[in-house]
Amino acid sequence: MPNSKVLPLVESEASEGVAPCCPPLTERPFTAEEAETAARMFKALGDPVRLRLFSAVASHEGGEACVCDISDVGVSQPTVSHHLKKLKDAGLLTSERRGTWVYYRVESSVLAAMGRLLALTPVEAA
């Protein structure tokens, strides 16, 4: 049974591709809601252990990694689980339990949305 949670980081529209949670920083000032959403995402990535875990999942073959393959980041297993939960809560990772292992995935739409948010010039939709 999948144990994944979808948060409103991105909105998918078939005709336009991936739309970020917020406009690019140079387009206009954020609304309070947009700023809150972006801040949650950046706060989650603001910890070096979380950034390493996020990178390990994103760079793993197929964009998906078993927790058993990414837990060597210099902290204990309970701490790894804590950081993975924070990344999931921010909408940056999804997970699925398969037997005794949990597999984490970075959705390509999340990476695309992050890139569009920080783009100085408009990025073409994929």
Side-chain angles (χ1 to χ4, degrees), residues 76-111:
S76 67
Q77 183 56 46
T79 304
V80 167
S81 295
H82 165 77
H83 287 301
L84 289 168
K85 181 183 183 319
K86 292 291 187 180
L87 290 166
K88 281 182 58 178
D89 290 347
L92 298 170
L93 293 179
T94 59
S95 68
E96 179 180 359
R97 180 171 292 280
R98 298 181 196 155
T100 59
W101 296 109
V102 177
Y103 287 78
Y104 290 88
R105 173 176 292 283
V106 175
E107 298 298 329
S108 59
S109 60
V110 171
L111 292 176

Side-chain angles (χ1 to χ4, degrees), residues 8-9 21-22 30-44 89-90 117:
L9 177 62
C21 67
C22 317
F30 285 173
T31 65
E33 183 179 330
E34 291 167 340
E36 188 69 34
T37 301
R40 261 193 321 272
M41 177 181 65
F42 288 116
K43 183 176 181 181
D89 290 347
L117 173 68

Side-chain angles (χ1 to χ4, degrees), residues 6-93:
V6 178
L7 295 175
L9 177 62
V10 295
E11 298 172 11
S12 296
E13 295 182 18
S15 62
E16 295 184 20
V18 176
C21 67
C22 317
L25 293 173
T26 56
E27 184 177 303
R28 63 170 171 76
F30 285 173
T31 65
E33 183 179 330
E34 291 167 340
E36 188 69 34
T37 301
R40 261 193 321 272
M41 177 181 65
F42 288 116
K43 183 176 181 181
L45 291 175
D47 181 279
V49 172
R50 286 185 207 140
L51 190 55
R52 287 184 66 198
L53 287 167
F54 185 72
S55 174
V57 173
S59 64
H60 205 269
E61 187 176 334
E64 177 182 76
C66 175
V67 69
C68 60
D69 294 329
I70 59 170
S71 59
D72 186 22
V73 291
V75 296
S76 67
Q77 183 56 46
T79 304
V80 167
S81 295
H82 165 77
H83 287 301
L84 289 168
K85 181 183 183 319
K86 292 291 187 180
L87 290 166
K88 281 182 58 178
D89 290 347
L92 298 170
L93 293 179

